[in-house]
Amino acid sequence: MTAVEDWDEGPFQPEAITVRVPAKINLSLSVGPLRPDGYHELVTVFHAVSLYDEVVARSARGISLSVEPLRRDSDVDAVPADERNLAWQAAALLAERCGLEPNVRLTIRKDIPVAGGMAGGSADAAATLVACDALWGTGLRRDELHDLAAQLGSDVPFALHGGTAIGTGRGEHISPVLASTGLEWVIAVLDAGLSTPKIFEACDLQRRRAGVQAPAPGVHPDLMAALRSRDIGAIGGSLYNDLQSAAIEVLPEIGQLLALGMAAGACGSLVSGSGPTTVFLVDSPLAAASVEAELRASGRCRAVRRARGPVPGANVVNVR
């Protein structure tokens, strides 16, 4: 046996792992009563779309984090680069779970609009779990990563899975659903901020003024049937959000933007989550171009993107 044949390099130790992770929109959001823990019981239909962040995890001593734009118009100034960032917390949580030191340098490359209600921070946390699991060789199953994700936030588990799925509880319990593929969206983020707690409070207030009790949340069967079909009009007509009227009451420009997109040729429109993101389902490239042009020309949006869904969740795209 030669010296070369005797040589054993041992297991491959990657220097860097790159994970790509999508944004989410909500095709429906049903809001139930307030729970004892201060959260509302929710049932939502998550839908992952082709707006992506990337997280690069590199071997290092200790933990550090930097944020950079994936393209010129991506705004990252408001993203914290310390332990306030969910990605930082994700790396620390995984290291604690596996009895390791959190030795990693994280670089977040952002294209998901910041503070747009598309779960960009949650997506980065999910990507970090996947990247650090691969970098450190911890070998956790996806369900074990899901449990860690649920500790970090309500939207983090869905970012691991992607596709189209029903979320229950606070949104952290995920049940994938069979849905049409190749849905085309125009997504617009208003140039204004919205406080998620404030929108939930406004929803509760609207119900009290109307003298109605919060219903038990659920998914309307029409939406499920539409998602299984290839009828874009039926899907557009089945989108709904219990928080939409509250968001419009707090920020009337949302209602104006929804009307503008529908007039430009969208098949359906919706406030995604608690806003300020609005989404528009279109049935052709021509309609997408028309809706996108009208939304940009309105001067009300800080970001307008086209996207397709559903797409997979966080996945490794490069190892070196």
Side-chain angles (χ1 to χ4, degrees), residues 22-25 27 45-49 158-165 176-177 179 309-313:
K24 67 86 182 170
I25 60 177
L27 305 185
V45 177
F46 289 120
H47 185 71
V49 295
F158 175 70
L160 282 176
H161 297 279
T164 302
V177 300
V311 296

Side-chain angles (χ1 to χ4, degrees), residues 20-23 48-52 142 158-164 308-315:
R20 188 172 71 167
V21 64
V49 295
S50 57
L51 298 180
Y52 297 102
R142 193 50 73 108
F158 175 70
L160 282 176
H161 297 279
T164 302
R308 175 183 289 261
V311 296
N315 66 96

Side-chain angles (χ1 to χ4, degrees), residues 151-162:
Q151 296 179 46
L152 292 163
S154 300
D155 291 335
V156 183
F158 175 70
L160 282 176
H161 297 279

Side-chain angles (χ1 to χ4, degrees), residues 56 61 85 88 94 97 144 147 155 189 258 298 305 312:
V56 183
R61 285 187 177 276
N85 194 299
W88 181 301
L94 178 62
R97 162 69 170 76
E144 293 175 301
D147 291 342
D155 291 335
V189 184
L258 291 171
S298 73
R305 301 276 197 271

Side-chain angles (χ1 to χ4, degrees), residues 51-289:
L51 298 180
Y52 297 102
D53 283 358
E54 291 180 355
V55 173
V56 183
R58 296 180 176 88
S59 297
R61 285 187 177 276
I63 183 169
S64 62
L65 185 149
S66 61
V67 186
E68 58 190 43
L70 256 180
R71 58 186 190 179
R72 190 175 303 170
D73 63 347
S74 299
D75 180 16
V76 301
D77 291 343
V79 181
D82 54 25
E83 62 274 7
R84 294 171 296 166
N85 194 299
L86 270 183
W88 181 301
Q89 296 171 32
L93 182 63
L94 178 62
E96 181 183 11
R97 162 69 170 76
C98 297
L100 302 172
E101 290 296 321
N103 292 326
V104 63
R105 177 159 58 94
L106 299 170
T107 302
I108 301 175
R109 301 170 179 165
K110 291 202 69 67
D111 190 37
I112 300 173
V114 177
M118 303 188 74
S122 295
D124 297 340
T128 298
L129 290 175
V130 174
C132 289
D133 177 65
L135 182 71
W136 297 334
T138 51
L140 295 189
R141 300 186 308 272
R142 193 50 73 108
D143 64 312
E144 293 175 301
L145 292 178
H146 179 111
D147 291 342
L148 294 177
Q151 296 179 46
L152 292 163
S154 300
D155 291 335
V156 183
F158 175 70
L160 282 176
H161 297 279
T164 302
I166 297 173
T168 57
R170 293 181 288 112
E172 77 277 19
H173 303 300
I174 302 298
S175 301
V177 300
L178 183 64
S180 298
T181 58
L183 299 181
E184 299 285 346
W185 302 91
V186 179
I187 299 167
V189 184
L190 272 169
D191 191 15
L194 279 179
S195 162
T196 295
K198 184 175 181 179
I199 298 304
F200 275 94
E201 290 170 7
C203 176
D204 291 338
L205 180 59
Q206 285 183 339
R207 287 170 170 171
R208 288 197 297 270
R209 288 199 305 252
V212 299
Q213 296 290 323
V219 178
H220 199 285
D222 288 351
L223 177 60
M224 290 292 96
L227 287 172
R228 288 190 295 269
S229 77
R230 295 189 177 274
D231 187 337
I232 301 299
I235 296 171
S238 302
L239 305 173
Y240 67 93
N241 181 355
D242 284 350
L243 295 179
Q244 183 160 304
S245 62
I248 292 172
E249 182 177 280
V250 172
L251 190 62
E253 291 92 335
I254 289 179
Q256 298 162 12
L257 202 66
L258 291 171
L260 185 64
M262 291 299 292
C267 298
S269 64
L270 188 72
V271 173
S272 182
S274 59
T277 296
T278 53
V279 300
F280 302 86
L281 180 64
V282 293
D283 62 2
S284 69
L286 183 63

